[in-house]
Amino acid sequence: MKKPILAVALSALLAAQAGFAAAEDVKVGTVMGITGPLANFIPPILNAAKLAEADVNAGGGILGGGKFELVVADGQAAAQPSVDAATKLVNLENVAAVMGALSSGATIAAANAVTIPNGVLQVSPTATSPAMTDMDDGDFVYRIVPSDNYQGEVLAKIVLDEGIERVAVAYVNNDYGVGIAGTFKENFEKLGGTITGYEKHEDKKNSYRGELATLANGDPQALVLIAYAGGSGAKIVKQSLEAGLFDRFIGTDGLRDDLLIEQVGAEALATSFFSAPTSPAENPAGEALHKRFDETYGEGSDKPFVDQSYDATMLIALAIEKAGTTDRTAIKDALRFVANAPGEIVGPGEWEKAVKLLAEGKDINYEGAAGSHEFDDNGDVAGFIGKFVVEGDSYKQIAIFE
């Protein structure tokens, strides 16, 4: 009688060991600008990624029940620090994929130096530079916000619709600033607008008064400012107001930062407006995510790029689950299969449903809080651009363009 009991026990042990082996913990890196010009944006963006992480683990885990873990590194929204952060994540932490970086320059630098050479999937929730479209990336670099080619076109129309036909343009000298300034200028002039001054600047100067005095020539009706509020942006607005050179500002997403309101005051920004990537107006998935986000963190669901950060993290997790492995190339190959139609729709918070469908061999199509993410051949997506104004101590969206 002992032999059958022993055999049964051994069989149960082997089965348990097999089940344990099937569960694989997975690390995914996140390159965040925790310090630097985007620091004010980071807390809600990082919380959104952590909410996706929590949803995966609460929904049964990844790859047979393993733990899904985000490993955060500070890229400082700058090129070399982001290369260093990505190097640490890829070579030391051995992450399966990378979510980030945030700024365009940081994303491009980390991709060219680290993720592309090492064959690691990289998905940015916020990088918008047109230079990313034609990168020779081996299909390893993606983003889930529209290119600034589109935002520049939309912003040109918004400005002219406001009856503003003459503007000066100041832009920070990096991939983000150069990219969107060029597309805005091209489209604004094509539509009949006049650029009275067009000046690039470096991010960390103490004074921009000389550049601003030059830009104020030619009778512009407003200053189009493409910069990060935490870098040169707030300083330029402040110095413009102090010198009486400009009193109306038109900004892009880098300027849509609470820091600008804190440093300048809402009253001084009463006639200003801003463009930024946004989410669709009618989106129950986004509304449900925002409710859970605020219940979890108290507030912040209305801050920039919360939806995109959650979606980028969730798409990476779904690609890993679809691949069934932490093999980096297999994860890259799986991304479009979970993001693009056709497939059964799954949304934020529906990890268990997605895992079940994938286990049954069915196609899924993730429809996120920030909308559909249908990747084209370049890893780009279409998307939505919002128009924002200052209301009280925050920004209010008053229009959406798609």
Side-chain angles (χ1 to χ4, degrees):
M1 295 294 292
K2 289 183 179 180
K3 189 172 181 179
I5 292 173
L6 181 60
V8 170
L10 180 60
S11 176
L13 176 61
L14 290 173
Q17 287 177 337
F20 179 77
E24 184 175 357
D25 292 347
V26 177
K27 289 182 179 181
V28 166
T30 63
V31 180
M32 292 274 166
I34 296 171
T35 58
L38 297 185
N40 208 49
F41 285 99
I42 297 305
I45 290 175
L46 184 54
N47 282 342
K50 289 180 176 177
L51 185 57
E53 174 191 45
D55 283 349
V56 171
N57 290 324
I62 196 167
L63 296 183
K67 180 183 178 183
F68 181 61
E69 179 186 355
L70 293 179
V71 183
V72 181
D74 183 12
Q76 302 176 33
Q80 189 56 52
S82 293
V83 170
D84 296 341
T87 299
K88 176 185 175 183
L89 292 171
V90 169
N91 294 334
L92 297 181
E93 295 289 349
N94 195 33
V95 298
V98 171
M99 196 280 277
L102 302 186
S103 71
S104 296
T107 300
I108 292 169
N112 283 329
V114 185
T115 61
I116 296 171
N118 286 281
V120 177
L121 174 67
Q122 181 175 346
V123 182
S124 173
T126 57
T128 55
S129 171
M132 289 180 62
T133 296
D134 297 321
M135 287 177 67
D136 183 12
D137 62 9
D139 206 31
F140 279 96
V141 181
Y142 292 75
R143 57 176 161 196
I144 60 169
V145 286
S147 163
D148 282 332
N149 280 335
Y150 180 55
Q151 186 175 180
E153 177 184 346
V154 170
L155 184 59
K157 292 176 182 176
I158 294 173
V159 172
L160 288 168
D161 286 347
E162 285 277 340
I164 300 172
E165 298 178 350
R166 299 173 61 84
V167 298
V169 179
Y171 62 98
V172 64
N173 186 23
N174 60 25
D175 289 295
Y176 168 70
V178 171
I180 195 166
T183 55
F184 170 79
K185 182 177 185 294
E186 178 185 351
N187 284 279
F188 190 67
E189 291 178 333
K190 188 186 299 182
L191 293 170
T194 299
I195 304 292
T196 62
Y198 190 74
E199 295 280 342
K200 67 183 176 184
H201 63 265
E202 301 306 319
D203 201 30
K204 296 181 179 179
K205 293 178 61 176
N206 291 324
S207 175
Y208 297 94
R209 289 179 176 84
E211 293 97 322
L212 288 167
T214 300
L215 286 166
N217 293 327
D219 196 28
Q221 295 168 271
L223 177 65
V224 175
L225 177 54
I226 302 163
Y228 304 126
S232 59
K235 194 177 294 183
I236 287 174
V237 171
K238 203 169 184 178
Q239 291 177 3
S240 295
L241 293 166
E242 289 170 350
L245 297 171
F246 293 94
D247 59 10
R248 190 174 196 183
F249 305 92
I250 299 160
T252 49
D253 45 291
L255 215 59
R256 189 199 148 200
D257 185 337
D258 291 347
L259 183 69
L260 179 65
I261 302 174
E262 292 168 11
Q263 293 196 4
V264 176
E267 187 176 341
L269 299 169
T271 61
S272 298
F273 55 90
F274 310 84
S275 65
T278 190
S279 304
E282 300 296 329
N283 186 6
E287 293 169 8
L289 177 67
H290 294 173
K291 182 179 179 181
R292 288 197 300 119
F293 185 100
D294 289 336
E295 287 172 351
T296 303
Y297 301 111
E299 61 177 2
S301 66
D302 61 334
K303 300 304 181 184
F305 301 114
V306 163
D307 294 350
Q308 290 82 358
S309 179
Y310 180 96
D311 287 350
T313 307
M314 187 57 67
L315 280 168
I316 290 173
L318 289 169
I320 294 168
E321 188 69 21
K322 168 69 177 175
T325 174
T326 54
D327 179 81
R328 290 163 168 174
T329 299
I331 294 167
K332 177 264 291 184
D333 291 341
L335 182 61
R336 283 191 177 86
F337 287 96
V338 298
N340 291 20
E344 189 159 341
I345 292 174
V346 295
E350 294 187 321
W351 178 255
E352 287 181 84
K353 175 184 175 182
V355 170
K356 182 174 183 294
L357 290 168
L358 290 171
E360 294 170 354
K362 295 179 180 177
D363 290 333
I364 65 171
N365 173 21
Y366 179 75
E367 295 284 305
S372 299
H373 304 297
E374 300 287 317
F375 294 113
D376 66 15
D377 290 343
N378 297 310
D380 284 350
V381 296
F384 304 85
I385 301 296
K387 178 183 179 183
F388 297 82
V389 296
V390 173
E391 185 174 274
D393 60 356
S394 62
Y395 296 85
K396 178 183 179 181
Q397 183 169 268
I398 60 172
I400 296 178
F401 302 85
E402 59 177 298

